[in-house]
Amino acid sequence: MSIEAREARQPWILLAPALTAIGLLLIVPLMFIIVYSFWLRSAAGADTPGFFFDNWIAALTDRFYRDILLNTLKIAAVTTVACAVLGYPAAYFIARSQGNKLILLVLLMLPFWISYIIRTMSWINILGVSGALNSALIWVGIINEPIQMLYNETTVILGLVHFLLPFMVLNIFVSLDGIDTNLEDAASSLGATRWQGFLQVTLPLSLPGLAAGGLLCFVLAAGTYITPVILGGPRDAMFANLVYEAIIRQLNWPLGSALSLLLLIVLGVLVLIYNRYLGMAQLAKGLG
Amino acid sequence: MDDTKRYERLRERLQNGDISRRKFFGLLGAAGAAYGLQTPFAKQAFAADVTQVRFDGWGGVVSEAFRKYAFDPYTAKTGIKVIDGTFPGGDEYLAQVRASQPGEYNIAHLSGVFDYARYASFDLTSELNLANIPNMANVMPALMNAFKSITPDSLSAAPYDYGTTGLAYNRKYISDDEIKEKGAKILIDEKYKGKIGGWADWRTRLWYAALQTSQDPNDIKDMDAAWDAVRKNRDLLLKYWSSGAELMSLLAEEEIYVTEGWSGRIYALQEQGHDIGYYDPPNSFGWQECLFVIKGSPMAACEELLNFMLDKDTSIAVAEGQSYPPALDPTKVDLGDKIPKLPAFDPTGTLSGLTFANPAYWNGNEAAWSEEFGRVQRGY
């Protein structure tokens, strides 16, 4: 075998384990889900194999699914904006801090050592009727009766921001850390104020990191299931909750498959748009 | 020759230069692939020689009691291990079982006769040989008959315990007289807006809607009125709870003053010192739990384990642990001092005072009503 042929084969040999894992654990199950989405659930509960469009027609035309999908995208967007606003100053502070950068990064990663569910449930002890905040407000004398702060859309967004903020900070940090600080000094020497230097030099250069963090936060928020269950009120549901209910509660796997594919397609389109304008390389850098 | 010896010989041939490294790795890969392909079928072959039985239940104190009084003595006698798994709810578990290989799951602590019927509709039933389960003779016939109405020719499960889903209320805000006067309608009382809880379960919601609209829960004639009651309840709710732990937390923290709740969980709250009342309104939701043997399981081993679990000492320990009365007939078996004080306990052994869900009626409407509740729950 020639050296060229051997070199051409080498990447495929190295990629083979990863491709096999992706094929078996992602592509094959996805194929099953696609096939399932065209089946029907009979009244008795068992599935009816075949090629029916009923689930897709319901998923695409029913106002119920459309409204919840739009609400899910709205919640994901609000969460992403909140993470960006809160995360940028934190990332900037870490990137520009001297000497204790590593400690700050470790502190940023600390929440990941605690289960996501536990972190979400901690808000019940903070915002609950007999929680820390209400107790403190009553003790100070600001209120006489506890305020109902939990179980609404705001607390769902709060829980999501709590969960996703580190992802945003890390992505922006990676971007800011790669910017040569001499550029800010150069802007200052040319007469720019610190604020102008930030707006015209640092911020534009860090936008890819902001966008990568935004994409991650948006996709993770849009696919969340547990936060609305723990912190949401009676009407607060996101699209993943509908998938769960269709598959687990109603045992309607065909409809659940169609709904999950619909969410996958919507989020996939967003990723493609991101890739078209910014490229996936920035996302990989942020995750690395 | 065993596999280890075979691999050692192969490695020796490589070291001696008898085979190339490429051939060595090729043979290893082929062996791995062959093992991967044969394993699912090997499992069936191994089933003939039973070494373990899998049991899935609700975990916690129930699981501990089973381990101490049934699983360990059973293993000591038979040499068969019991793999103890837990599940968060019957729906989730059924989804897992449906996605599994036959024989992967064996015995489950299922809830409700409608679960029995659902397993039957998915062709997951087995056929118990009652001669191998002598302790079944102590079980209340009323509980057995419910299963026999679904599979008349055989049984796939042993009844194990029962309870009710009644009204739980905080006595600091709601008196015993008020709850008796208002009954199920207290869950749609504007006075408690934002302080009412409710289980996110379509059956329970519709059952209570039937009571709130003065209808028979097992034969709801005016569905529009029932759905309107579900909507009214939704608009007054603080939260739909989804687990027993969440139910207890909401009541104990005074986030809610009233909800429907599971008798055993409310009893546990009372035991902890919370002033929570429990009241079963007329036609309160009665249910029973069973030990269901899933199709494809090693039957003789499972039947013997069921017999251990139905033993008087095990049943009483589990009942005291989970605060639900056991399925044992109190007219035949002395159940001790604590069990007669548990909510929903029936000293007659006939259970004539409890109303159970008619499985044919509820399962027949499951597809439509569960989907409709999903919409109503979200404000539609």
Side-chain angles (χ1 to χ4, degrees):
Chain A
M1 187 187 292
S2 68
I3 294 171
E4 288 82 10
R6 195 177 296 169
E7 281 181 352
R9 273 181 55 186
Q10 237 169 14
W12 290 108
I13 293 168
L14 292 170
L15 278 171
L19 289 177
T20 308
I22 289 173
L24 288 177
L25 302 175
L26 187 71
I27 307 296
V28 172
L30 193 62
M31 292 299 138
F32 275 108
I33 290 174
I34 291 170
V35 170
Y36 245 113
S37 72
F38 291 102
W39 289 15
L40 282 181
R41 187 213 186 195
S42 71
D47 301 318
T48 309
F51 193 71
F52 309 99
F53 286 96
D54 300 44
N55 298 314
W56 281 100
I57 290 169
L60 293 169
T61 59
D62 195 322
R63 208 185 113 220
F64 174 64
Y65 299 120
R66 192 186 60 215
D67 288 355
I68 301 238
L69 181 60
L70 289 176
N71 194 47
T72 300
L73 298 179
K74 184 196 87 182
I75 289 173
V78 173
T79 302
T80 306
V81 171
C83 284
V85 171
L86 294 171
Y88 201 100
Y92 189 89
F93 179 76
I94 297 171
R96 294 291 177 265
S97 62
Q98 303 292 325
N100 51 4
K101 201 179 284 182
L102 188 65
I103 298 168
L104 291 172
L105 283 173
V106 170
L107 285 175
L108 185 68
M109 303 299 282
L110 265 183
F112 290 114
W113 297 3
I114 304 167
S115 153
Y116 165 43
I117 294 174
I118 302 290
R119 274 184 284 153
T120 306
M121 290 189 85
S122 67
W123 286 105
I124 295 172
N125 291 322
I126 297 170
L127 300 177
V129 167
S130 51
L133 191 55
N134 265 316
S135 302
L137 291 174
I138 290 172
W139 185 74
V140 172
I142 295 174
I143 56 172
N144 296 319
E145 291 289 319
I147 305 167
Q148 187 59 56
M149 290 183 260
L150 275 175
Y151 309 124
N152 49 54
E153 194 173 286
T154 308
T155 46
V156 172
I157 292 170
L158 185 69
L160 286 172
V161 170
H162 181 195
F163 164 49
L164 297 169
L165 193 56
F167 292 100
M168 179 65 88
V169 175
L170 277 177
N171 275 279
I172 301 172
F173 165 77
V174 169
S175 200
L176 284 170
D177 205 42
I179 298 172
D180 188 347
T181 49
N182 288 326
L183 290 172
E184 289 176 9
D185 295 337
S188 297
S189 70
L190 291 169
T193 61
R194 285 195 70 179
W195 179 241
Q196 283 174 322
F198 170 77
L199 278 183
Q200 289 173 24
V201 177
T202 312
L203 184 62
L205 288 172
S206 65
L207 278 181
L210 190 63
L215 180 72
L216 259 184
C217 289
F218 189 89
V219 170
L220 290 173
T224 195
Y225 155 75
I226 202 75
T227 311
V229 169
I230 295 174
L231 297 176
R235 298 186 191 208
D236 296 312
M238 294 177 72
F239 207 74
N241 299 88
L242 298 188
V243 175
Y244 174 85
E245 275 167 26
I247 290 178
I248 303 295
R249 292 261 161 85
Q250 298 160 19
L251 294 170
N252 192 343
W253 292 13
L255 178 63
S257 299
L259 294 176
S260 61
L261 284 171
L262 180 61
L263 184 63
L264 185 72
I265 291 166
V266 169
L267 296 179
V269 167
L270 287 170
V271 172
L272 285 178
I273 292 169
Y274 173 89
N275 188 42
R276 169 74 180 78
Y277 291 102
L278 292 160
M280 297 305 283
Q282 181 60 38
L283 194 61
K285 208 191 294 177
L287 287 168
Chain B
M1 192 194 315
D2 65 5
D3 289 340
T4 310
K5 195 79 184 164
R6 200 171 283 130
Y7 295 138
E8 278 171 2
R9 284 195 178 181
L10 192 61
R11 193 186 57 178
E12 209 174 295
R13 287 178 65 195
L14 170 73
Q15 287 167 340
N16 292 339
D18 295 341
I19 56 169
S20 67
R21 186 179 297 175
R22 178 173 294 179
K23 190 166 184 183
F24 174 74
F25 282 116
L27 286 170
L28 273 188
Y35 180 75
L37 284 171
Q38 66 93 38
T39 299
F41 308 106
K43 194 184 285 177
Q44 314 250 337
F46 292 153
D49 180 22
V50 181
T51 56
Q52 65 181 44
V53 169
R54 185 182 167 109
F55 171 84
D56 288 274
W58 302 90
V61 288
V62 181
S63 191
E64 286 165 23
F66 275 140
R67 171 62 54 198
K68 185 177 171 189
Y69 291 96
F71 300 163
D72 288 345
Y74 169 79
T75 303
K77 187 191 168 193
T78 62
I80 300 172
K81 282 186 190 163
V82 181
I83 306 299
D84 191 2
T86 60
F87 51 74
D91 294 332
E92 288 90 337
Y93 184 68
L94 178 53
Q96 283 176 16
V97 172
R98 281 187 68 196
S100 70
Q101 296 281 330
E104 202 173 321
Y105 293 95
N106 304 137
I107 303 177
H109 193 181
L110 296 183
S111 181
V113 180
F114 40 78
D115 253 351
Y116 188 96
R118 282 202 299 177
Y119 277 66
S121 76
F122 283 114
D123 193 24
L124 290 166
T125 48
S126 60
E127 198 168 322
L128 290 176
N129 180 357
L130 298 187
N132 291 337
I133 317 171
N135 284 331
M136 197 84 125
N138 291 330
V139 170
M140 283 184 266
L143 292 172
M144 305 258 277
N145 293 341
F147 296 141
K148 282 182 182 163
S149 69
I150 298 161
T151 51
D153 301 328
S154 62
L155 270 182
S156 302
Y160 205 68
D161 54 74
Y162 63 97
T164 55
T165 303
L167 294 168
Y169 55 101
N170 189 323
R171 284 204 176 99
K172 198 154 82 175
Y173 305 99
I174 298 169
S175 69
D176 293 346
D177 290 338
E178 185 179 359
I179 202 90
K180 278 177 191 155
E181 182 200 327
K182 292 179 179 169
K185 286 183 181 167
I186 199 163
L187 297 175
I188 49 171
D189 190 335
E190 297 272 354
K191 183 180 166 188
Y192 296 110
K193 183 173 180 169
K195 287 293 173 189
I196 300 172
W199 187 16
D201 170 63
W202 65 271
R203 291 182 202 87
T204 308
R205 293 271 57 81
L206 270 176
W207 186 284
Y208 268 86
L211 301 187
Q212 285 150 2
T213 52
S214 307
Q215 300 191 67
D216 177 357
N218 280 319
D219 186 20
I220 303 172
K221 300 283 186 203
D222 189 348
M223 278 313 295
D224 289 340
W227 284 119
D228 283 344
V230 175
R231 287 189 183 92
K232 189 168 183 190
N233 169 256
R234 172 202 66 201
D235 293 340
L236 301 175
L237 280 188
L238 172 68
K239 184 170 173 52
Y240 283 118
W241 48 267
S242 52
S243 70
E246 196 178 11
L247 158 72
M248 291 171 76
S249 165
L250 287 168
L251 277 170
E253 298 289 325
E254 298 190 9
E255 294 279 356
I256 57 173
Y257 299 158
V258 63
T259 176
E260 77 282 329
W262 306 324
S263 52
R265 292 286 185 159
I266 305 308
Y267 185 81
L269 271 178
Q270 292 166 345
E271 290 271 283
Q272 288 169 19
H274 297 284
D275 192 13
I276 304 294
Y278 185 77
Y279 173 67
D280 272 320
N283 277 333
S284 181
F285 196 164
W287 42 262
Q288 60 165 297
E289 291 185 319
C290 65
L291 303 172
F292 189 95
V293 179
I294 298 163
K295 186 180 182 180
S297 299
M299 292 307 293
C302 289
E303 284 157 0
E304 188 157 11
L305 182 55
L306 286 193
N307 200 46
F308 268 79
M309 295 166 92
L310 283 169
D311 180 75
K312 181 192 154 197
D313 290 340
T314 312
S315 290
I316 290 175
V318 172
E320 289 182 351
Q322 63 174 354
S323 304
Y324 292 118
L328 301 183
D329 190 337
T331 61
K332 288 184 186 171
V333 181
D334 178 11
L335 297 175
D337 299 330
K338 187 178 174 185
I339 287 168
K341 293 174 192 156
L342 295 177
F345 175 73
D346 179 10
T348 66
T350 60
L351 301 177
S352 55
L354 298 181
T355 309
F356 293 97
N358 175 347
Y361 177 71
W362 286 90
N363 286 352
N365 289 300
E366 179 182 358
W369 290 355
S370 63
E371 194 191 330
E372 182 65 15
F373 174 65
R375 289 163 190 265
V376 172
Q377 189 181 3
R378 311 288 178 231
Y380 287 78

